[in-house]
Amino acid sequence: ADDLEADLDDLDDMGDDESDDGGEENLDAVLAGLAAPAGGGVAALARLSASDRYRRHVSAIETFAAREAEPGSIGVGDDDAEYVLIVESNEILIKIDAEVHQLHRYVNDVYAKKFPELDTLVPSKMEYMRVVDRMRNEMDMTAVDLSDVLPPTVVMVVSVTGSTTSGQPLGAGELDECVAGCAECFRLERDKGTILSYLESRMSVLAPNLTRLVGSSLAAMLVGMAGGLEKLAHVPACNLTVMGQEKRHLAGFGMTAGLPHTGVLYFSDLVQAAPPALRRKALKIVAAKSSLAVRLDAFGNRHDGDVAAADGWRDEIAAKIEKACEPPKAQKVKALPPPDIMTGKKKRGG
């Protein structure tokens, strides 16, 4: 008890030694930090487009996209430059999505002073950025044309809500930050479209059977997430069903899957063509055939461009789904046999 009392006395003495001017300076520094943009603004958040690796990657994709892809022109291994570029593109796409998310959150926080209800009316990130870039500091919603950005019903809701909002116009610095964030998101979106179009054009050469089975975009995503075609060939079919599973954050308390036990293969045309009650079953069938297609592309003769096996698997999957959709056969009413009155039967127990 005596030691605790002595420690408390020392703390009181330390508090008395501090000058009032120092406390005011510390308070001013805290208030300045709160007033400053989170993370230093758009310039601090937009680190991807400023990196040399990102610029080299986009430049290399533009160079290879100008060439015509031929069967056998892309090898499977780290010694092939175009194959390494295809594998690394998925990592770049993930970083693009993460940076767009950060920029959207920052612009949302700044623009909430002017239109706090906009984020609930326009949940899509890129649509939100386009609306902010078009609306800017305009308080008269009749002077803002959003017909080419949003559907007509959403445009009406945004216009009515914007006319009655309690928001205030932004300052010049805040508006410049929002416009810069929107421009950076648009630039990243264009680069993402360039990378995706390049990957889709090369998937028919790198993995022709997988591309014919699930489509070029899904094939590119699977190859990129696995880290290469050979690594994807070693993934079992049960794990293919959950590759690329989307998860959402629960207000900082954890993450949960939006569609549990489903990955990017769930959005293939074969699975989506099935009724909702049978999509899980269709997903397992598509994953099993996709595993075979990947192994055929990785270790088989894929340079001849023969996709007859994939076409046969598509027909087989469609037939299985169609058979699963058929109603069960009605049970036939079987008549009872006629009673044998003339011939007695021995019955035990009476």
Side-chain angles (χ1 to χ4, degrees), residues 20 34 39 60 78 98 102 183 212 217 227 246 312 314 337 342 344 350:
D20 296 338
L34 292 176
D78 295 339
Q102 292 179 354
R212 180 62 65 90
S217 59
E246 295 182 357
R314 282 189 67 92
M342 302 302 295

Side-chain angles (χ1 to χ4, degrees), residues 65-346:
R67 305 176 184 176
E68 188 68 25
E70 298 179 357
S73 60
I74 304 177
V76 179
D78 295 339
D79 54 346
D80 190 278
E82 191 167 6
Y83 178 77
V84 174
L85 186 69
I86 292 173
V87 174
E88 291 180 351
S89 295
N90 186 73
E91 181 184 354
I92 298 294
L93 291 175
I94 294 175
K95 291 183 178 180
I96 288 177
D97 292 338
E99 189 158 305
V100 167
H101 175 74
Q102 292 179 354
L103 290 170
H104 169 263
R105 185 172 58 182
Y106 172 69
V107 172
N108 187 11
D109 293 340
V110 176
Y111 202 73
K113 176 183 175 182
K114 196 263 180 186
F115 199 162
E117 302 90 357
L118 184 60
D119 60 332
T120 59
L121 301 177
V122 186
S124 175
K125 294 183 179 64
M126 296 310 300
E127 288 182 354
Y128 181 90
M129 291 296 192
R130 293 187 182 96
V131 171
V132 171
D133 185 64
R134 186 72 59 86
M135 191 177 300
R136 299 200 176 188
N137 232 0
E138 184 64 49
M139 300 302 294
D140 185 10
M141 292 295 100
T142 58
V144 181
D145 184 18
L146 301 175
S147 58
D148 57 337
V149 178
L150 299 174
T153 55
V154 182
V155 170
M156 183 181 301
V157 175
V158 170
S159 300
V160 172
T161 308
S163 302
T164 60
T165 184
S166 60
Q168 301 296 326
L170 300 176
E174 294 173 331
L175 182 60
D176 292 341
E177 284 291 316
C178 290
V179 174
C182 294
E184 185 65 25
C185 281
F186 299 155
R187 188 181 303 110
L188 292 174
E189 191 70 13
R190 287 194 298 269
D191 292 343
K192 181 180 178 180
T194 302
I195 295 174
L196 287 176
S197 61
Y198 165 74
L199 291 178
E200 292 177 5
S201 66
R202 293 302 188 266
M203 279 300 106
S204 59
V205 178
L206 181 64
N209 289 282
L210 182 63
T211 302
R212 180 62 65 90
L213 191 62
V214 299
S216 57
S217 59
L218 293 183
M221 294 174 67
L222 290 173
V223 172
M225 283 184 289
L229 190 63
E230 291 187 352
K231 293 183 179 179
L232 183 62
H234 291 87
V235 177
C238 59
N239 291 348
L240 282 179
T241 59
V242 295
M243 285 188 65
Q245 187 178 41
E246 295 182 357
K247 294 185 177 181
R248 61 174 184 267
H249 293 270
L250 300 177
F253 295 103
M255 292 189 300
T256 183
L259 290 172
H261 308 294
T262 57
V264 295
L265 278 181
Y266 184 79
F267 301 100
S268 64
D269 57 340
L270 291 171
V271 177
Q272 294 297 316
L278 296 176
R279 286 178 183 173
R280 291 287 180 83
K281 183 176 182 179
L283 175 61
K284 294 180 180 180
I285 300 175
V286 172
K289 298 303 181 183
S290 299
S291 180
L292 295 178
V294 171
R295 293 164 188 172
L296 181 61
D297 291 331
F299 307 112
N301 188 12
R302 60 183 175 87
H303 301 302
D304 55 1
D306 187 14
V307 291
D311 291 335
W313 289 331
R314 282 189 67 92
D315 297 338
E316 182 181 349
I317 293 171
K320 288 184 177 180
I321 295 175
E322 184 178 358
K323 184 174 180 59
C325 294
E326 295 178 355
K329 294 182 180 180
Q331 295 182 354
K332 296 181 179 180
V333 179
K334 186 177 181 181
L336 294 175
D340 193 357
I341 304 175
M342 302 302 295
T343 306
K345 294 184 177 179
K346 294 181 179 180

Side-chain angles (χ1 to χ4, degrees), residues 20-58:
D20 296 338
D21 295 339
E24 292 179 357
E25 292 178 357
N26 293 336
L27 180 60
D28 294 338
V30 171
L31 293 177
L34 292 176
V42 175
L45 293 176
R47 295 187 298 268
L48 183 61
S49 59
S51 64
D52 295 335
R53 180 190 175 189
Y54 178 80
R55 293 175 181 175
R56 290 196 303 267
H57 189 88
V58 175

